[in-house]
Amino acid sequence: MLGSSLASAWFAQSDGHSVLVVVNDASPLSRSIGDYYARRRSIPETNICHIRTTEDEEISRDVYNRQIATPIAAFLRRGGLVDRVLYIVTTVGAPLKIRGTANMDGDAAAVDSELTLLYLDMKRGTPHVIRGSIPNPFFGKKDAAFGHPQFPMYLVTRLAAYDFDGVKG
């Protein structure tokens, strides 16, 4: 819940042009939540990225790369949004985890954690290291205003609840 509270505070301070909403078109719930959130937060249509992937909670790294990261990066580039977008919002109905080994040098990951690194990957033109941990450049900077290029990452959160009414609440 703390992450959601912080995300809400960050989003409340920004306009809808700095938020990218990611909707999984394969999930009716994801489409409903994405549409509702975009209307309530005045997110422009140009900042709603539609992907098509499985609704499974856990996916392979290949599925993440082909069906999530690549289409989102292409959408951001095509719309000239790479630097303008600061926040990425995913919805229920999109995968949560990337399968792999779960230890300090492992390659398992959370989809939202990987999406935070998408900005850095696009700017460098090379993918980040998969194994091990990567320090968060925004960690401990509670008085700093978040933005690019000072913080080469996206802030990512997920709109989730047991059902659509829970998300609206």
Side-chain angles (χ1 to χ4, degrees):
M1 287 298 178
L2 178 59
S4 298
S5 302
L6 293 174
S8 297
W10 286 322
F11 295 152
Q13 296 170 358
S14 67
D15 71 10
H17 290 88
S18 63
V19 177
L20 179 73
V21 177
V22 177
V23 174
N24 180 8
D25 284 341
S27 166
L29 184 55
S30 177
R31 290 193 315 266
S32 294
I33 292 168
D35 179 60
Y36 175 79
Y37 182 80
R39 278 186 287 112
R40 295 285 296 180
R41 298 291 182 195
S42 300
I43 309 295
E45 193 69 32
T46 55
N47 286 48
I48 302 172
C49 177
H50 293 268
I51 62 172
R52 184 165 288 277
T53 190
T54 180
E55 293 180 67
D56 294 341
E57 185 173 294
E58 193 169 12
I59 56 174
S60 68
R61 172 74 55 182
D62 181 59
V63 168
Y64 169 77
N65 288 333
R66 281 185 301 105
Q67 297 179 5
I68 298 174
T70 298
I72 292 172
F75 182 88
L76 289 163
R77 284 187 185 109
R78 203 171 39 251
L81 300 171
V82 173
D83 287 302
R84 183 176 194 139
V85 164
L86 300 175
Y87 315 103
I88 297 177
V89 177
T90 63
T91 61
V92 164
L96 282 172
K97 300 184 247 179
I98 301 168
R99 270 190 296 279
T101 55
N103 58 41
M104 289 305 288
D105 292 323
D107 58 353
V111 168
D112 59 352
S113 293
E114 290 296 298
L115 287 174
T116 64
L117 299 168
L118 193 57
Y119 178 85
L120 182 63
D121 292 351
M122 289 189 291
K123 288 305 209 175
R124 287 191 317 200
T126 58
H128 63 278
V129 175
I130 301 298
R131 294 195 172 277
S133 62
I134 297 172
N136 179 343
F138 195 48
F139 179 76
K141 306 281 191 325
K142 63 182 178 183
D143 295 327
F146 181 79
H148 302 141
Q150 180 183 6
F151 299 108
M153 61 188 284
Y154 292 115
L155 297 180
V156 182
T157 194
R158 181 177 174 90
L159 294 174
Y162 289 110
D163 58 25
F164 182 64
D165 289 335
V167 170
K168 286 175 33 180

